[in-house]
Amino acid sequence: EADIYQTPRYLVIGTGKKITLECSQTMGHDKMYWYQQDPGMELHLIHYSYGVNSTEKGDLSSESTVSRIRTEHFPLTLESARPSHTSQYLCASSEHRGGYGYTFGSGTRLTVV
Amino acid sequence: DAKTTQPPSMDCAEGRAANLPCNHSTISGNEYVYWYRQIHSQGPQYIIHGLKNNETNEMASLIITEDRKSSTLILPHATLRDTAVYYCIVRVGTASKLTFGTGTRLQVTL
């Protein structure tokens, strides 16, 4: 039973559209993360948050933005989708600092046509 | 962060132990070794972590050499469902931002 939820699971959208990928967790974790992964490739951290009203950019530059208004919710927004944004987006949360016990969602597979 | 080196792929027969090696020769004293796996394109799953002592849980065992320069993840009785990419990550215990490398693709076969 998943404690971190991502919606939608799949999304096909036209170029130029604004989209928001949803991520919610029910574990009360302060720390949340967004990763991007192309098929067969490495995961890259694009955004993270250590708590409400705290967001930082990750190791890979991304045109997406995030917000953290509530502890349980960490949405990712693309203001104008492009084909280069086609990828899988994975959300994660953790209770602890360090690498222990990250919980990942099932991901959103985005295709921009 | 200490860099890790893992073989790109390994095969294992179902029912046998899968031993996945990881080299981290530049590890520092306050860095932990973490293992995650990613089945197909699902989100990665935490397996186990350790500092210097060997660790065991319901999923796997982690053996860290005395000099801490390498470690081995052991899946004692591999099943087809253990086919996945396994990531060895070295991080300071208080740091966040987990960084994934290329990992080892483990194929469990009949």
Side-chain angles (χ1 to χ4, degrees):
Chain A
E1 184 176 334
D3 295 314
I4 184 163
Y5 305 92
Q6 289 189 244
T7 58
R9 184 73 179 90
Y10 301 93
L11 178 63
V12 180
I13 200 162
T15 298
K17 299 292 187 183
K18 177 180 179 179
I19 58 169
T20 297
L21 308 184
E22 301 289 347
C23 176
S24 295
Q25 50 96 4
T26 59
M27 298 170 282
H29 288 171
D30 288 330
K31 301 165 189 60
M32 296 189 73
Y33 312 85
W34 276 103
Y35 287 83
Q36 182 177 344
Q37 184 178 35
D38 293 333
M41 305 298 285
E42 298 177 40
L43 291 98
H44 293 285
L45 180 69
I46 53 174
H47 298 283
Y48 62 98
S49 167
Y50 291 158
V52 171
N53 294 324
S54 157
T55 62
E56 301 286 344
K57 290 194 176 293
D59 302 322
L60 180 69
S61 175
S62 173
E63 294 169 341
S64 59
T65 59
V66 292
S67 62
R68 189 87 183 277
I69 299 172
R70 303 197 316 267
T71 298
E72 63 271 22
H73 195 213
F74 191 40
L76 181 145
T77 298
L78 278 164
E79 289 293 333
S80 179
R82 295 208 297 268
S84 61
H85 297 140
T86 295
S87 188
Q88 175 162 249
Y89 294 84
L90 288 155
C91 180
S93 72
S94 68
E95 180 181 4
H96 310 280
R97 279 193 175 270
Y100 166 63
Y102 276 45
T103 301
F104 279 81
S106 299
T108 293
R109 191 174 296 278
L110 172 67
T111 302
V112 183
V113 298
Chain B
D1 299 330
K3 182 178 173 59
T4 62
T5 303
Q6 299 179 253
S9 64
M10 293 182 63
D11 292 328
C12 178
E14 189 176 34
R16 304 296 294 270
N19 298 294
L20 293 98
C22 180
N23 285 319
H24 31 79
S25 58
T26 60
I27 192 170
S28 60
N30 61 347
E31 288 183 311
Y32 287 72
V33 180
Y34 301 91
W35 283 85
Y36 280 76
R37 72 180 182 184
Q38 186 175 25
I39 297 173
H40 194 47
S41 57
Q42 299 175 23
Q45 175 189 25
Y46 165 79
I47 301 173
I48 199 167
H49 77 285
L51 182 63
K52 57 179 123 178
N53 298 322
N54 298 337
E55 302 288 344
T56 295
N57 63 20
E58 65 278 5
M59 289 182 66
S61 295
L62 174 60
I63 308 298
I64 303 174
T65 58
E66 191 168 344
D67 63 7
R68 301 186 71 238
K69 293 184 177 182
S70 65
S71 60
T72 301
L73 178 75
I74 301 172
L75 308 179
H77 305 286
T79 71
L80 296 177
R81 287 178 290 183
D82 292 322
T83 293
V85 177
Y86 288 78
Y87 299 98
C88 170
I89 302 164
V90 173
R91 293 289 293 175
V92 174
T94 56
S96 292
K97 301 197 310 176
L98 204 61
T99 301
F100 293 82
T102 54
T104 295
R105 185 172 299 277
L106 175 69
Q107 180 69 51
V108 181
T109 57
L110 291 171

